[in-house]
Structures are given as C-alpha cells and as structure tokens.
Amino acid sequence: MFAIVRTGGKQYRVAAGDKIVVEKIDGEAGASVTLGDVLLAGEGSELRSVEGFTVAAEIIAQAKADKVIVFKKRRRHNYRRKNGHRQQHTILKIVSLGGEQSKSSAGNAPAAQA
C-alpha cells in the first residue's frame, strides 16, 4: 500500500517502512507524528478514499542539509557579499498507513506538522 502525503509544501510518495527527509517538524528523535494531509492512497492500481486517512511516522533524527553558498557580485562596483545557509530537515520513518483520524483531531493535525 502507498500514499501521497503533503508536508512542508512538498509531496512525498510513502509506503510502510520508508524513510523520507522532509522540512523541519518539531519533535525529538523517537517521537511519533501523524501526517494528516493525505492526497492519494491505494494499492497497486486501486485507489482508496482518503477521508480520515492518516499516515503514522516516527522521527529518526533532526538534521541539517549541506551548506549552500550564496555569493553576490556587481562588476566594477567593489560589491561582493558571501553568505551561507544550511536548511534544517527531519528524517522520518513511516510506521503505518491508513490509521483513522477522528473529526475532533482533524483540525489539530496540520499544527503538528508545522
């Protein structure tokens, strides 16, 4: 079974046991998170309804991406600026697909992802 989930403004195709790298999600290593923004779910060529469908994941680590160097220069104006940036991300392990989400906690799920 697979699902397409949206978190951090990006979409990921996940299955049980997969490891994915997503934008930073608050939480310590070993904590459980629920991804409630499921766009598509199915098995093989059959698709399922995603109403109340959730994806359970476990945080493996909080990490940083490789450094990106930003260099700006304007010719003949003695203008040079060098800056670096390391994006923070979270490594998730997908535990299970298809957990039912109650109506009362449906409003709280996007806050847990941010």
Side-chain angles (χ1 to χ4, degrees):
M1 175 173 259
F2 73 94
I4 307 292
V5 296
R6 179 172 42 204
T7 179
K10 298 178 182 70
Q11 298 174 9
Y12 302 91
R13 183 186 191 276
V14 297
D18 286 352
K19 291 181 183 177
I20 58 173
V21 177
V22 299
E23 295 292 322
K24 179 150 174 65
I25 296 175
D26 291 333
E28 299 294 322
S32 297
V33 294
T34 302
L35 305 174
D37 195 2
V38 179
L39 304 174
L40 183 79
E43 188 160 0
S45 62
E46 294 182 25
L47 299 180
R48 289 188 47 185
S49 171
V50 294
E51 190 67 35
F53 195 92
T54 60
V55 174
E58 178 184 351
I59 297 176
I60 294 176
Q62 302 284 4
K64 287 185 175 182
D66 293 335
K67 182 175 272 193
V68 176
I69 302 297
V70 179
F71 184 73
K72 300 177 182 180
K73 179 179 178 174
R74 294 194 181 136
R75 297 187 324 168
R76 298 182 296 274
H77 289 280
N78 195 26
Y79 176 85
R80 289 184 292 275
R81 302 290 183 267
K82 183 177 178 183
N83 201 349
H85 176 74
R86 291 186 72 183
Q87 185 70 31
Q88 295 190 2
H89 58 247
T90 302
I91 302 171
L92 295 177
K93 181 174 187 204
I94 305 302
V95 177
S96 66
L97 299 166
E100 291 299 317
Q101 186 178 36
S102 66
K103 297 292 183 187
S104 62
S105 66
N108 297 337
Q113 296 177 28

